[in-house]
Amino acid sequence: MQNSFLPLNTRRFRQRAQVETPDTVYWDRLAKPELLKEHNTIDYLDFSPSDPDNFVVTCSVRVQIYNLVTMLVVKNLSRFQKTAYGATFRQDGRLLAAGDEEGHVKLFDTTSRNILRLFKGHTAPVHRTFFTADKLQLASFGDDKSVRLWDVANEKVVQTYEDTHTDYVRAGAMHPQAGHMFVSGGYDGKIKLYDTRAETAVQRTLDHGAPVESMLFLPNGSIFVSAGGSQVRVWDLISGCRLLTMMSQHHKTVTCLRLGSDGRRLLSGGLDRHVKIYDVSTYKTVHTLTYPNAVVSMAVADGDQAVVAGMVDGLVSIRRMMVDSKPSHLKKIRADRARKYFVSTKRTNNTQEVDHTIKDHVKGPGLKSYDVHLRQFNHKKALDDVMNAQKMQYQPELIVAVITDLLHRGSLGKALTGRHEAALVRFIDFICNHLGEVRFMRPLMMAASTVLDVFEQRLVAYSQKLMKALQRLSLAMQEEVRLTAELMRMKGAVDMLIGISMDNSEVAHKPTYVETKTPKMHPSVAAQNYVVLVE
């Protein structure tokens, strides 16, 4: 076996002029753009939260839902008399709201394409609509310089905020956690912060310095971002809406903002044909995407599976990740890029000076010893291989992984049967030591149950050492039960204090672990009577 082992093959590479960073490597995994052509400017793009492969395109008098894989229209919502604007999904993906040039806000059922609600009240086009965090209300931002809050169920206006802006209101964002807070941005350059609980609805007035085109909140809700002119500004909500930083990476108007990488990256698109990607921890530009025309709308799929950009000439550019390249895989991605670079340059002169060499490892299965045992169904040997003192102390997650695999195979009981007492005591001690860790609790609870099943089948006397180990396991289980009961009592006390402290006018939210079934909505009378006249 040793004679067949090959030495490492050292390869030489020319120095690359481009400086690579983890973000450039990651975002370069975006494939070549796939293009869709519409007849007018792409006003708005949004991905469905319930079905990540579907995204909605708002263009002219149509709102179309496309499939990301097939690039075909899944649903066509053409119930618009005039131009449609800003179609956006609700957080559960079941409803879709869009404004139009008539000043109406229409609510669609994404499954049946029916109009469920027709909100009338604006006297000018409505460009943006967003759902509140509790999914019960809908905010609309119109060119009549007003912001309206609608009740989705009753089809009635809850609150109207007029004269807060002196120009068109074409940007807004809802707080991701607090349903009573949202912001609006107008072409007057002003940003308004609203709190529906307070007597004075407008809590803060900020100056962006240019007409505000787009706004969004970061996932934690403590920071919001505004875009307008050639600047992107970041505001801290917690410290009184203080301006944290200002980014001027675009040389033309910034038209859209989106979040990527689970909220760790901020993307901004502009009329300069660029999409800038920022790190939200430092607010520095980490990458740039270039497009053939001015970018006016943008959407990012969950997990960065795709970046879709809409342009002023009606072109929709769809760039998908070639692989599931999470940021944790950057080392592997960088190695793949280096290997491809070598293939393209291996015929060039290799006598030039290099700054580093890359060692190409010999190909092999790369299996650990316990993997080999599991592949050969030697379950006892696989468990013995990981149950040593060093791995028990420094790599408990490895032991839990093997235990979980044996539980899935239904062979953990067989792996524990017929063992020496020392091995069983060591296994029980491991369970007792790590049972309280949240990441290991579920598999170790099942492993403890399996241990009891194994001992229940052995009708022989146990040694004193083994009996003490079982007593320790019993005490550990009782301690977990006691701790769980105390936490439940504490949670009940905290819920009671929160309920008492709330005003009588406020409605206490149900616990987050209770899944409430939303009744199916039926079209209202106004929605049923709405007819589109075709000229």
Side-chain angles (χ1 to χ4, degrees):
M1 191 69 182
Q2 294 179 352
N3 295 332
S4 62
F5 182 79
L6 299 177
L8 294 177
N9 184 12
T10 305
R11 303 183 185 275
R12 300 168 65 87
F13 292 87
R14 290 187 301 175
Q15 183 178 3
R16 299 191 64 179
Q18 179 182 358
V19 178
E20 285 188 345
T21 64
D23 279 282
T24 58
V25 175
Y26 178 68
W27 292 104
D28 280 345
R29 300 296 290 183
L30 289 172
K32 291 183 179 180
E34 301 173 74
L35 301 178
L36 298 174
K37 186 67 174 72
E38 295 289 346
H39 301 289
N40 211 329
T41 301
I42 308 300
D43 177 73
Y44 201 74
L45 297 167
D46 193 26
F47 271 95
S48 172
S50 60
D51 190 352
D53 287 336
N54 288 346
F55 63 95
V56 61
V57 178
T58 307
C59 176
S60 186
V61 295
R62 293 183 298 178
V63 174
Q64 295 175 312
I65 300 178
Y66 282 86
N67 183 271
L68 183 62
V69 178
T70 63
M71 304 298 173
L72 299 177
V73 177
V74 180
K75 290 182 177 63
N76 186 4
L77 309 177
S78 57
R79 302 290 299 276
F80 291 91
Q81 188 76 33
K82 295 184 179 180
T83 305
Y85 298 111
T88 181
F89 286 100
R90 197 170 70 170
Q91 291 86 335
D92 55 4
R94 297 173 57 183
L95 300 179
L96 183 142
D100 63 11
E101 193 175 352
E102 294 180 290
H104 300 161
V105 179
K106 297 172 184 176
L107 188 67
F108 294 90
D109 185 352
T110 56
T111 58
S112 63
R113 298 182 301 175
N114 292 331
I115 297 182
L116 298 180
R117 299 289 185 270
L118 181 63
F119 303 101
K120 297 181 179 180
H122 284 280
T123 58
V126 177
H127 280 261
R128 293 294 177 263
T129 57
F130 299 103
F131 289 92
T132 57
D134 55 12
K135 300 179 287 189
L136 301 178
Q137 295 178 341
L138 177 68
S140 59
F141 307 85
D143 283 357
D144 56 358
K145 309 173 189 177
S146 70
V147 178
R148 293 175 184 263
L149 202 61
W150 308 88
D151 186 276
V152 173
N154 299 327
E155 200 180 33
K156 294 181 179 180
V157 62
V158 177
Q159 187 66 43
T160 301
Y161 305 100
E162 297 178 343
D163 300 329
T164 55
H165 291 273
T166 59
D167 207 335
Y168 298 157
V169 185
R170 294 190 176 179
M174 314 306 291
H175 196 284
Q177 299 175 6
H180 54 82
M181 296 186 67
F182 63 95
V183 291
S184 67
Y187 271 21
D188 55 359
K190 303 299 181 182
I191 299 172
K192 305 289 183 177
L193 174 65
Y194 303 85
D195 188 343
T196 58
R197 303 173 305 174
E199 294 181 1
T200 304
V202 179
Q203 299 296 302
R204 296 278 181 177
T205 299
L206 309 173
D207 187 7
H208 180 83
V212 181
E213 299 285 349
S214 181
M215 301 185 72
L216 59 78
F217 275 92
L218 295 190
N220 59 7
S222 61
I223 293 174
F224 64 92
V225 187
S226 61
S230 60
Q231 297 179 350
V232 177
R233 298 197 177 198
V234 183
W235 310 86
D236 188 354
L237 183 64
I238 302 298
S239 61
C241 298
R242 178 175 60 91
L243 179 63
L244 288 180
T245 186
M246 181 177 61
M247 297 169 285
S248 302
Q249 300 298 323
H250 293 270
H251 60 271
K252 288 186 179 180
T253 301
V254 185
T255 57
C256 50
L257 295 172
R258 284 292 181 178
L259 290 175
S261 300
D262 298 327
R264 297 190 303 269
R265 294 294 181 267
L266 174 68
L267 290 80
S268 65
L271 299 181
D272 56 359
R273 303 185 297 110
H274 291 155
V275 170
K276 302 289 183 177
I277 305 177
Y278 312 89
D279 186 346
V280 297
S281 60
T282 60
Y283 297 107
K284 293 183 179 179
T285 306
V286 295
H287 195 65
T288 301
L289 302 176
T290 304
Y291 290 89
N293 211 330
V295 178
V296 293
S297 57
M298 179 175 49
V300 182
D302 188 28
D304 301 334
Q305 297 179 23
V307 177
V308 182
M311 282 160 270
V312 70
D313 59 351
L315 206 62
V316 180
S317 173
I318 304 167
R319 303 184 65 177
R320 291 186 287 180
M321 281 287 181
M322 293 183 289
V323 295
D324 185 16
S325 52
K326 297 180 180 179
S328 58
H329 301 162
L330 291 179
K331 291 184 179 179
K332 179 182 176 183
I333 296 172
R334 194 179 293 110
D336 292 341
R337 288 171 58 88
R339 196 172 295 110
K340 291 180 181 178
Y341 183 78
F342 167 74
V343 172
S344 63
T345 59
K346 64 180 180 180
R347 294 185 180 179
T348 59
N349 185 11
N350 289 334
T351 60
Q352 300 182 16
E353 295 184 359
V354 298
D355 58 343
H356 65 280
T357 59
I358 297 179
K359 297 180 180 180
D360 192 4
H361 294 277
V362 179
K363 294 183 179 180
L367 296 178
K368 302 294 184 181
S369 56
Y370 52 86
D371 289 323
V372 175
H373 293 315
L374 290 173
R375 186 178 62 178
Q376 298 174 352
F377 300 98
N378 295 327
H379 300 149
K380 288 188 177 181
K381 292 183 179 180
L383 193 59
D384 289 336
D385 186 77
V386 295
M387 290 296 296
N388 58 63
Q390 185 175 6
K391 291 179 180 177
M392 290 175 65
Q393 182 177 1
Y394 298 106
Q395 293 179 293
E397 64 279 358
L398 180 61
I399 302 173
V400 175
V402 174
I403 292 174
T404 304
D405 188 77
L406 293 178
L407 286 170
H408 287 324
R409 297 176 181 222
S411 56
L412 181 60
K414 297 178 182 178
L416 295 174
T417 305
R419 287 184 171 274
H420 294 291
E421 290 186 354
L424 292 173
V425 171
R426 187 164 62 250
F427 186 80
I428 293 173
D429 288 341
F430 175 80
I431 294 178
C432 295
N433 293 335
H434 296 279
L435 185 62
E437 298 188 37
V438 177
R439 53 179 180 160
F440 300 149
M441 182 175 292
R442 186 178 295 274
L444 291 187
M445 289 283 285
M446 298 175 65
S449 177
T450 305
V451 170
L452 297 179
D453 292 340
V454 170
F455 281 99
E456 186 179 10
Q457 298 173 1
R458 295 176 55 185
L459 301 177
V460 295
Y462 304 126
S463 66
Q464 186 176 4
K465 186 176 181 181
L466 193 54
M467 288 298 296
K468 290 183 178 180
L470 289 173
Q471 290 176 359
R472 289 196 297 272
L473 180 60
S474 175
L475 292 176
M477 297 287 290
Q478 293 176 10
E479 179 63 21
E480 290 301 320
V481 172
R482 184 193 62 81
L483 181 60
T484 303
E486 287 187 0
L487 290 176
M488 291 300 294
R489 285 196 293 269
M490 184 180 297
K491 182 181 181 303
V494 171
D495 288 342
M496 183 179 63
L497 292 175
I498 293 176
I500 295 175
S501 62
M502 296 178 66
D503 296 334
N504 295 331
S505 59
E506 295 183 355
V507 180
H509 293 283
K510 294 183 178 181
T512 56
Y513 57 84
V514 177
E515 183 67 23
T516 58
K517 293 184 178 180
T518 305
K520 185 177 180 179
M521 294 182 62
H522 299 282
S524 63
V525 176
Q528 289 178 339
N529 296 333
Y530 182 77
V531 178
V532 178
L533 300 177
V534 181
E535 296 180 357

